[in-house]
Amino acid sequence: MQNVVPIAWLAAKLASDGDKPVIVDCRFDLADPAAGKAAYDDGHIPGAVYMHLERDLSGPVGEHGGRHPLPAADSLARLFGQAGIGNDTVVVAYDDQGGAFASRLWWMLKYVGHDAVAVLEQGFSAWKRAGYPVTRDVEPHPAKAFAANVRPDMLLSMREVKERLHRDDVVLLDSRDGARYRGEAEPIDPVAGHIPGAKNAFWKEGLRPDGSWKTPAEQQARFGAIAPDKEVVVYCGSGVTACPNVIALIDAGFRNVKLYGGSWSDWCSYKDNPIATGEE
């Protein structure tokens, strides 16, 4: 299954007589955590269930682990099963923020062994502009059994990242905008800068101006300075907007891509961790 599907693909699936995918609305606003659910209540793709970044797709926040820690695998299995997602269910996730939050759900499903998942290209507003149906009705899906089959090689801890610093066979990729990467601005986390040795690849550079995703060849050009045999460790502020870059890297042909789940908000919570600023 493609990692990103166009809105016409989903519309055709919903209009067909075959099995319908489970659609997950992941809209969210970091500045207003209630805004995504309010937007869902105001109108969503028919059949969509809502998953909240902080209540559903994050675990409890502690001293370390970052602003959006990953939930335990058994918690994710319960969440997905209650949403009507079984191990063979096709899932399509969407948001209205360029795919950032939908990609988080994509990654989490992949992490617990579920491959039949895609991000909806361009998101809800494009769906609505195209004239496809929108509803306020909530249609609960019958619960299904979901068995988590965790893929631990997809995820790195802070200590595992620290062990990889300055290794020739590893590339650290910071997915935040350039000003945050360089340490010129930090509107969210208490410390500015980046992990030493990391290169910057702002996640939104994987999209075109209309919000569509760049082709695999275009993604390859974005990451052309990275040798394809390297291990690529991707991070952002809290492990969310790194996920679109994970998709872009996989689409570009990279096969050894890992997420630093806690990301910068976890890294800078350890006072002894080194911090770099400026370009590298």
Side-chain angles (χ1 to χ4, degrees):
M1 184 173 182
Q2 292 175 270
N3 293 320
V4 181
V5 295
I7 55 177
W9 181 93
L10 179 59
K13 284 288 184 184
L14 294 183
S16 73
D17 294 330
D19 291 339
K20 306 294 189 290
V22 170
I23 305 167
V24 183
D25 187 319
C26 299
R27 284 178 285 177
F28 191 77
D29 184 345
L30 290 171
D32 182 2
K37 178 59 163 59
Y40 170 83
D41 291 340
D42 192 50
H44 51 265
I45 296 175
V49 298
Y50 183 74
M51 290 188 185
H52 190 280
L53 173 64
E54 295 179 346
R55 291 198 300 266
D56 300 317
L57 303 182
S58 300
V61 177
E63 180 183 1
H64 303 299
R67 286 182 279 108
H68 297 110
L70 293 172
D74 57 350
S75 297
L76 286 176
R78 285 193 299 273
L79 173 72
F80 297 147
Q82 289 167 1
I85 300 171
N87 289 92
D88 298 321
T89 304
V90 174
V91 181
V92 177
Y94 73 86
D95 57 36
D96 226 2
Q97 290 78 27
F101 304 111
S103 296
R104 164 82 164 200
L105 177 62
W106 172 93
W107 187 92
M108 294 170 87
L109 279 162
K110 292 279 187 178
Y111 177 64
V112 293
H114 190 87
D115 286 322
V117 56
V119 172
L120 183 65
E121 190 169 39
Q122 297 179 290
F124 178 77
S125 290
W127 172 275
K128 190 174 180 178
R129 283 196 304 271
Y132 292 120
V134 172
T135 184
R136 293 182 177 179
D137 296 336
V138 176
E139 304 171 28
H141 298 274
K144 292 188 176 181
F146 186 98
N149 182 20
V150 174
R151 293 163 168 163
D153 59 333
M154 291 177 58
L155 179 68
L156 292 181
S157 67
M158 185 280 293
R159 285 178 175 77
E160 290 170 322
V161 173
K162 200 169 186 178
E163 290 167 357
R164 285 163 166 77
L165 291 185
H166 308 301
R167 269 177 40 182
D168 291 340
D169 59 336
V170 177
V171 174
L172 279 171
L173 208 61
D174 188 313
S175 303
R176 299 171 300 165
D177 69 79
R180 291 184 69 196
Y181 163 80
R182 293 187 296 271
E184 298 167 357
E186 184 46 72
I188 304 174
D189 293 309
V191 182
H194 61 265
I195 300 173
K199 305 300 181 184
N200 186 219
F202 186 31
W203 71 273
K204 286 188 177 180
E205 293 170 354
L207 306 176
R208 300 191 187 91
D210 67 353
S212 60
W213 287 61
K214 291 181 177 178
T215 65
E218 290 171 319
Q219 303 290 11
Q220 287 172 3
R222 280 184 70 208
F223 303 120
I226 304 175
D229 61 339
K230 301 270 182 149
E231 177 187 82
V232 186
V233 178
V234 191
Y235 75 93
C236 56
S238 65
V240 176
T241 59
C243 295
N245 263 347
V246 172
I247 293 176
L249 284 158
I250 291 171
D251 283 351
F254 290 87
R255 291 295 173 259
N256 191 4
V257 183
K258 293 179 169 60
L259 176 71
Y260 172 20
S263 285
W264 178 251
S265 55
D266 178 50
W267 183 268
C268 71
S269 71
Y270 294 88
K271 294 181 180 179
D272 294 336
N273 277 352
I275 290 170
T277 56
E279 294 283 359
E280 295 209 36

